[in-house]
């Protein structure tokens, strides 16, 4: 015999804290404790308007945390990253978005990296984050694997030449911008 699950319970309203939904030992909690992302505000201060009119910009620390989530968890596209953030409580907690607040649209994240931030500031911020993560022991800097080239498949057995197709070292930065 089995107990049939009551699907009506999915509609129950409960008072719950996002803080309580994220495990205490989750990687993103550890990173959040180890790295103070407040330095980002100083780095991008001149890129945001001080005027009180219009819609406020998206928190720049959240934007960088979104991209960090994408890299940490190997998510292939910004569109998929945003979909994952919409349903993952730890991701939401990390970027500072409660359950009842809509996360930024993937095109908004891309737009900010393409039009608001410059390459130098993005590289500086990510280098700082990576250094802070390494200093706290979250990165193993002894072994780094880089995929630098793609080998074009040669299905013709009579053709002996192999042609290497170079891959951009900064592919992701290029896609982001």
């Amino acid at each position: 015999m089995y107990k049939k699950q009551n699907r009506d319970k999915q509609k129950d309203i409960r008072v719950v804290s996002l803080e309580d939904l994220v495990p205490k030992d989750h990687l993103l909690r550890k990173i959040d404790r180890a790295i103070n992302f407040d330095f980002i505000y100083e780095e991008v201060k001149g890129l945001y308007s001080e005027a009180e009119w219009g819609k406020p910009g998206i928190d720049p620390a959240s934007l960088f945390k979104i991209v960090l989530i994408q890299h940490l968890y190997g998510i292939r596209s910004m569109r998929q990253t945003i979909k994952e953030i919409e349903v993952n409580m730890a991701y939401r907690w990390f970027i500072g978005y409660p359950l009842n607040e809509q996360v930024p649209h993937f095109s908004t994240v891309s737009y900010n990296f393409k039009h608001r931030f410059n390459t130098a500031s993005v590289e500086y911020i990510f280098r700082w984050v990576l250094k802070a993560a390494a200093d706290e022991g979250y990165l193993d800097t002894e072994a780094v694997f880089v995929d630098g080239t793609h080998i074009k498949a040669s299905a013709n057995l009579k053709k002996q030449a192999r042609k290497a197709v170079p891959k951009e070292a900064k592919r992701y930065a290029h896609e982001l911008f």
Side-chain angles (χ1 to χ4, degrees):
M1 196 62 166
Y2 58 89
K3 179 184 174 192
K4 185 177 177 183
Q5 293 296 320
N6 185 351
R7 306 272 301 170
D8 292 335
K9 287 186 178 183
Q10 292 174 325
K11 298 175 187 173
D12 285 356
I13 296 174
R14 309 267 182 190
V15 176
V16 64
S17 167
L18 190 56
E19 183 72 26
D20 296 336
L21 296 175
V22 180
K24 300 295 181 206
D25 63 342
H26 195 280
L27 175 63
L28 293 177
R29 277 193 187 271
K30 293 175 184 178
I31 290 172
D32 192 63
R33 282 191 300 267
I35 301 172
N36 183 356
F37 289 91
D38 288 346
F39 85 97
I40 292 173
Y41 302 118
E42 193 60 38
E43 286 300 315
V44 300
K45 187 176 7 179
L47 303 175
Y48 285 83
S49 172
E50 297 292 327
E52 303 241 349
W53 48 270
K55 186 177 178 183
I58 295 174
D59 180 0
S62 293
L63 292 171
F64 281 92
K65 286 178 177 183
I66 288 170
V67 175
L68 183 59
I69 287 169
Q70 183 176 12
H71 283 288
L72 281 173
Y73 294 99
I75 306 170
R76 293 180 178 247
S77 71
M78 186 53 63
R79 183 183 303 241
Q80 186 62 38
T81 302
I82 295 301
K83 285 180 181 179
E84 294 292 328
I85 290 171
E86 288 173 349
V87 298
N88 187 308
M89 299 304 110
Y91 295 174
R92 280 183 166 274
W93 174 87
F94 185 64
I95 68 169
Y97 276 75
L99 294 172
N100 61 343
E101 191 173 334
Q102 187 174 355
V103 296
H105 193 268
F106 73 89
S107 65
T108 304
V109 177
S110 298
Y111 180 87
N112 275 274
F113 278 95
K114 193 179 284 187
H115 298 288
R116 184 180 304 267
F117 308 131
N118 61 39
T119 305
S121 64
V122 169
E123 284 185 20
Y124 176 77
I125 290 169
F126 278 122
R127 284 176 197 241
W128 190 93
V129 168
L130 290 174
K131 182 183 179 324
D135 290 348
E136 292 294 327
Y138 290 107
L139 288 179
D140 181 7
T141 56
E142 289 190 22
V144 177
F145 298 94
V146 178
D147 181 10
T149 60
H150 287 267
I151 302 298
K152 194 171 188 175
S154 179
N156 185 349
L157 297 175
K158 294 179 183 178
K159 187 176 179 182
Q160 296 298 318
R162 288 187 180 172
K163 187 176 179 182
V165 181
K167 180 180 176 188
E168 290 184 41
K170 296 185 179 183
R171 176 189 58 82
Y172 187 77
H174 176 70
E175 287 177 10
L176 198 56
F177 284 102

